[in-house]
Short mmCIF file of all heavy atoms in Angstrom, two decimals:
data_model
loop_
_atom_site.label_atom_id
_atom_site.label_comp_id
_atom_site.label_asym_id
_atom_site.label_seq_id
_atom_site.Cartn_x
_atom_site.Cartn_y
_atom_site.Cartn_z
N LEU A 1 0.82 -1.20 0.00
CA LEU A 1 0.00 0.00 0.00
C LEU A 1 0.86 1.26 0.00
O LEU A 1 0.61 2.21 -0.76
CB LEU A 1 -0.93 -0.01 1.22
CG LEU A 1 -1.84 1.21 1.39
CD1 LEU A 1 -2.80 1.32 0.20
CD2 LEU A 1 -2.61 1.13 2.70
N VAL A 2 1.90 1.26 0.85
CA VAL A 2 2.81 2.41 0.91
C VAL A 2 3.48 2.64 -0.44
O VAL A 2 3.59 3.77 -0.93
CB VAL A 2 3.87 2.21 2.02
CG1 VAL A 2 4.96 3.27 1.91
CG2 VAL A 2 3.22 2.27 3.39
N SER A 3 3.92 1.54 -1.07
CA SER A 3 4.58 1.65 -2.38
C SER A 3 3.62 2.17 -3.44
O SER A 3 3.96 3.02 -4.26
CB SER A 3 5.14 0.30 -2.80
OG SER A 3 6.08 -0.18 -1.86
N THR A 4 2.39 1.65 -3.39
CA THR A 4 1.40 2.04 -4.40
C THR A 4 1.06 3.52 -4.29
O THR A 4 0.84 4.20 -5.30
CB THR A 4 0.12 1.20 -4.22
OG1 THR A 4 0.43 -0.18 -4.35
CG2 THR A 4 -0.92 1.58 -5.27
N VAL A 5 1.03 4.05 -3.07
CA VAL A 5 0.67 5.45 -2.85
C VAL A 5 1.87 6.37 -3.04
O VAL A 5 1.79 7.41 -3.70
CB VAL A 5 0.06 5.65 -1.45
CG1 VAL A 5 -0.14 7.13 -1.16
CG2 VAL A 5 -1.25 4.89 -1.33
N SER A 6 3.01 5.99 -2.47
CA SER A 6 4.16 6.90 -2.44
C SER A 6 4.88 7.03 -3.77
O SER A 6 5.31 8.13 -4.14
CB SER A 6 5.14 6.46 -1.35
OG SER A 6 5.67 5.18 -1.62
N LEU A 7 5.02 5.94 -4.50
CA LEU A 7 5.78 6.01 -5.75
C LEU A 7 5.15 6.96 -6.78
O LEU A 7 5.86 7.78 -7.37
CB LEU A 7 5.96 4.60 -6.33
CG LEU A 7 6.90 3.68 -5.55
CD1 LEU A 7 6.99 2.30 -6.20
CD2 LEU A 7 8.29 4.30 -5.42
N PRO A 8 3.83 6.88 -7.02
CA PRO A 8 3.24 7.88 -7.93
C PRO A 8 3.39 9.30 -7.42
O PRO A 8 3.62 10.23 -8.20
CB PRO A 8 1.77 7.46 -7.99
CG PRO A 8 1.76 6.02 -7.64
CD PRO A 8 2.85 5.85 -6.63
N MET A 9 3.27 9.50 -6.09
CA MET A 9 3.42 10.84 -5.53
C MET A 9 4.83 11.36 -5.72
O MET A 9 5.05 12.53 -6.03
CB MET A 9 3.04 10.83 -4.05
CG MET A 9 1.57 10.55 -3.79
SD MET A 9 1.17 10.40 -2.02
CE MET A 9 1.46 12.07 -1.47
N ILE A 10 5.82 10.49 -5.54
CA ILE A 10 7.21 10.87 -5.76
C ILE A 10 7.42 11.21 -7.25
O ILE A 10 8.09 12.19 -7.58
CB ILE A 10 8.17 9.74 -5.33
CG1 ILE A 10 8.13 9.60 -3.80
CG2 ILE A 10 9.59 10.02 -5.80
CD1 ILE A 10 8.90 8.39 -3.28
N GLY A 11 6.82 10.39 -8.13
CA GLY A 11 6.95 10.66 -9.56
C GLY A 11 6.36 11.99 -9.96
O GLY A 11 6.97 12.75 -10.73
N VAL A 12 5.18 12.34 -9.42
CA VAL A 12 4.55 13.62 -9.72
C VAL A 12 5.41 14.77 -9.18
O VAL A 12 5.57 15.81 -9.83
CB VAL A 12 3.13 13.68 -9.12
CG1 VAL A 12 2.55 15.09 -9.20
CG2 VAL A 12 2.22 12.70 -9.84
N GLY A 13 5.97 14.58 -7.98
CA GLY A 13 6.82 15.60 -7.40
C GLY A 13 8.05 15.87 -8.24
O GLY A 13 8.44 17.02 -8.46
N ILE A 14 8.69 14.82 -8.73
CA ILE A 14 9.87 14.97 -9.58
C ILE A 14 9.50 15.67 -10.89
O ILE A 14 10.22 16.54 -11.38
CB ILE A 14 10.51 13.60 -9.85
CG1 ILE A 14 11.11 13.05 -8.54
CG2 ILE A 14 11.60 13.70 -10.92
CD1 ILE A 14 11.63 11.63 -8.66
N TRP A 15 8.35 15.28 -11.47
CA TRP A 15 7.87 15.94 -12.69
C TRP A 15 7.68 17.43 -12.47
O TRP A 15 8.08 18.26 -13.31
CB TRP A 15 6.56 15.29 -13.13
CG TRP A 15 5.84 16.06 -14.20
CD1 TRP A 15 6.10 16.06 -15.54
CD2 TRP A 15 4.74 16.97 -14.00
NE1 TRP A 15 5.23 16.90 -16.20
CE2 TRP A 15 4.38 17.47 -15.28
CE3 TRP A 15 4.03 17.39 -12.89
CZ2 TRP A 15 3.35 18.38 -15.45
CZ3 TRP A 15 2.99 18.30 -13.06
CH2 TRP A 15 2.67 18.78 -14.33
N ALA A 16 7.09 17.80 -11.33
CA ALA A 16 6.88 19.22 -11.03
C ALA A 16 8.21 19.95 -10.82
O ALA A 16 8.37 21.09 -11.25
CB ALA A 16 5.99 19.36 -9.79
N LEU A 17 9.17 19.28 -10.17
CA LEU A 17 10.48 19.89 -9.98
C LEU A 17 11.17 20.18 -11.30
O LEU A 17 11.84 21.21 -11.46
CB LEU A 17 11.37 18.98 -9.12
CG LEU A 17 11.11 18.96 -7.62
CD1 LEU A 17 12.00 17.92 -6.95
CD2 LEU A 17 11.38 20.34 -7.01
N LEU A 18 11.03 19.28 -12.26
CA LEU A 18 11.67 19.46 -13.55
C LEU A 18 11.07 20.63 -14.32
O LEU A 18 11.71 21.17 -15.23
CB LEU A 18 11.56 18.18 -14.38
CG LEU A 18 12.37 16.99 -13.86
CD1 LEU A 18 12.10 15.76 -14.71
CD2 LEU A 18 13.85 17.30 -13.84
N LYS A 19 9.84 21.04 -13.97
CA LYS A 19 9.24 22.19 -14.60
C LYS A 19 9.97 23.49 -14.25
O LYS A 19 9.93 24.46 -15.00
CB LYS A 19 7.76 22.32 -14.17
CG LYS A 19 6.83 21.30 -14.78
CD LYS A 19 6.53 21.64 -16.22
CE LYS A 19 5.47 20.73 -16.79
NZ LYS A 19 5.06 21.11 -18.16
N GLU A 20 10.61 23.49 -13.10
CA GLU A 20 11.28 24.71 -12.62
C GLU A 20 12.80 24.60 -12.67
O GLU A 20 13.50 25.61 -12.60
CB GLU A 20 10.83 25.03 -11.19
CG GLU A 20 11.21 26.41 -10.73
CD GLU A 20 10.59 26.79 -9.40
OE1 GLU A 20 11.00 26.22 -8.37
OE2 GLU A 20 9.68 27.63 -9.39
N ASN A 21 13.32 23.40 -12.80
CA ASN A 21 14.76 23.19 -12.77
C ASN A 21 15.26 22.63 -14.10
O ASN A 21 14.50 22.13 -14.91
CB ASN A 21 15.13 22.23 -11.63
CG ASN A 21 14.83 22.82 -10.27
OD1 ASN A 21 15.61 23.55 -9.70
ND2 ASN A 21 13.64 22.50 -9.74
N PHE A 22 16.57 22.74 -14.28
CA PHE A 22 17.22 22.26 -15.51
C PHE A 22 16.62 22.93 -16.74
O PHE A 22 16.42 22.31 -17.78
CB PHE A 22 17.13 20.74 -15.62
CG PHE A 22 17.67 20.02 -14.41
CD1 PHE A 22 16.80 19.44 -13.50
CD2 PHE A 22 19.03 19.99 -14.14
CE1 PHE A 22 17.27 18.80 -12.37
CE2 PHE A 22 19.52 19.36 -13.01
CZ PHE A 22 18.65 18.76 -12.13
N THR A 23 16.30 24.21 -16.60
CA THR A 23 15.77 25.00 -17.70
C THR A 23 16.27 26.43 -17.53
O THR A 23 17.13 26.68 -16.70
CB THR A 23 14.23 24.94 -17.71
OG1 THR A 23 13.75 25.65 -18.85
CG2 THR A 23 13.64 25.53 -16.44
N THR A 24 15.76 27.36 -18.32
CA THR A 24 16.21 28.74 -18.22
C THR A 24 15.71 29.39 -16.94
O THR A 24 14.72 28.96 -16.35
CB THR A 24 15.72 29.55 -19.43
OG1 THR A 24 14.31 29.45 -19.52
CG2 THR A 24 16.34 29.03 -20.72
N THR A 25 16.39 30.45 -16.52
CA THR A 25 16.04 31.11 -15.26
C THR A 25 14.81 31.99 -15.39
O THR A 25 14.21 32.37 -14.38
CB THR A 25 17.21 31.97 -14.76
OG1 THR A 25 17.57 32.92 -15.78
CG2 THR A 25 18.42 31.10 -14.45
N HIS A 26 14.45 32.36 -16.60
CA HIS A 26 13.24 33.15 -16.81
C HIS A 26 12.75 32.91 -18.24
O HIS A 26 13.51 32.46 -19.11
CB HIS A 26 13.50 34.64 -16.57
CG HIS A 26 14.42 35.28 -17.57
ND1 HIS A 26 15.77 35.00 -17.64
CD2 HIS A 26 14.17 36.16 -18.58
CE1 HIS A 26 16.32 35.69 -18.62
NE2 HIS A 26 15.37 36.40 -19.20
N PHE A 27 11.49 33.22 -18.47
CA PHE A 27 10.87 33.02 -19.77
C PHE A 27 10.37 34.38 -20.27
O PHE A 27 9.23 34.76 -19.99
CB PHE A 27 9.71 32.02 -19.70
CG PHE A 27 10.08 30.72 -19.03
CD1 PHE A 27 9.27 30.16 -18.06
CD2 PHE A 27 11.25 30.06 -19.37
CE1 PHE A 27 9.60 28.96 -17.45
CE2 PHE A 27 11.60 28.87 -18.76
CZ PHE A 27 10.78 28.31 -17.81
N PRO A 28 11.18 35.12 -20.98
CA PRO A 28 10.83 36.51 -21.32
C PRO A 28 9.67 36.64 -22.30
O PRO A 28 9.38 35.75 -23.09
CB PRO A 28 12.13 37.05 -21.95
CG PRO A 28 12.83 35.84 -22.47
CD PRO A 28 12.51 34.74 -21.50
N ILE A 29 9.01 37.79 -22.20
CA ILE A 29 7.98 38.21 -23.13
C ILE A 29 8.50 39.47 -23.83
O ILE A 29 8.88 40.43 -23.16
CB ILE A 29 6.66 38.52 -22.41
CG1 ILE A 29 6.14 37.27 -21.69
CG2 ILE A 29 5.61 39.04 -23.38
CD1 ILE A 29 4.93 37.55 -20.79
N ARG A 30 8.54 39.45 -25.14
CA ARG A 30 9.05 40.60 -25.89
C ARG A 30 7.92 41.26 -26.67
O ARG A 30 7.20 40.61 -27.44
CB ARG A 30 10.16 40.18 -26.85
CG ARG A 30 10.70 41.32 -27.69
CD ARG A 30 11.94 40.94 -28.48
NE ARG A 30 13.09 40.72 -27.61
CZ ARG A 30 14.35 40.63 -28.06
NH1 ARG A 30 14.60 40.72 -29.36
NH2 ARG A 30 15.33 40.43 -27.21
N LEU A 31 7.77 42.57 -26.46
CA LEU A 31 6.76 43.35 -27.16
C LEU A 31 7.47 44.26 -28.17
O LEU A 31 8.25 45.13 -27.77
CB LEU A 31 5.95 44.20 -26.18
CG LEU A 31 5.21 43.40 -25.09
CD1 LEU A 31 5.88 43.62 -23.73
CD2 LEU A 31 3.75 43.80 -25.03
N ASN A 32 7.22 44.04 -29.44
CA ASN A 32 7.90 44.78 -30.50
C ASN A 32 6.97 45.85 -31.06
O ASN A 32 5.93 45.54 -31.64
CB ASN A 32 8.34 43.81 -31.60
CG ASN A 32 9.29 44.46 -32.59
OD1 ASN A 32 9.00 45.49 -33.17
ND2 ASN A 32 10.44 43.83 -32.77
N ARG A 33 7.35 47.12 -30.88
CA ARG A 33 6.54 48.25 -31.36
C ARG A 33 6.53 48.36 -32.88
O ARG A 33 5.54 48.76 -33.47
CB ARG A 33 7.09 49.56 -30.79
CG ARG A 33 6.71 49.86 -29.38
CD ARG A 33 7.46 51.08 -28.87
NE ARG A 33 7.36 52.21 -29.79
CZ ARG A 33 6.39 53.12 -29.77
NH1 ARG A 33 5.42 53.02 -28.85
NH2 ARG A 33 6.37 54.12 -30.63
N LYS A 34 7.65 48.02 -33.49
CA LYS A 34 7.81 48.25 -34.92
C LYS A 34 6.97 47.29 -35.75
O LYS A 34 6.28 47.70 -36.69
CB LYS A 34 9.28 48.13 -35.30
CG LYS A 34 10.17 49.18 -34.65
CD LYS A 34 9.84 50.58 -35.14
CE LYS A 34 10.66 51.67 -34.47
NZ LYS A 34 12.09 51.58 -34.83
#
């Protein structure tokens, strides 16, 4: 039961961490007047 519950939760947590890590520090928005 512990394995069934914890392993998916750990997997989701790692997936969420990868959304913020090992990527760029910011995602810029550029507005071009011309």
Side-chain angles (χ1 to χ4, degrees):
L1 179 63
V2 170
S3 301
T4 302
V5 173
S6 63
L7 290 179
M9 293 175 67
I10 291 173
V12 170
I14 292 174
W15 168 80
L17 282 175
L18 292 176
K19 287 284 187 175
E20 193 172 70
N21 295 276
F22 306 106
T23 184
T24 56
T25 57
H26 67 290
F27 308 133
I29 299 172
R30 178 172 291 194
L31 301 109
N32 192 306
R33 281 173 50 89
K34 296 294 178 67

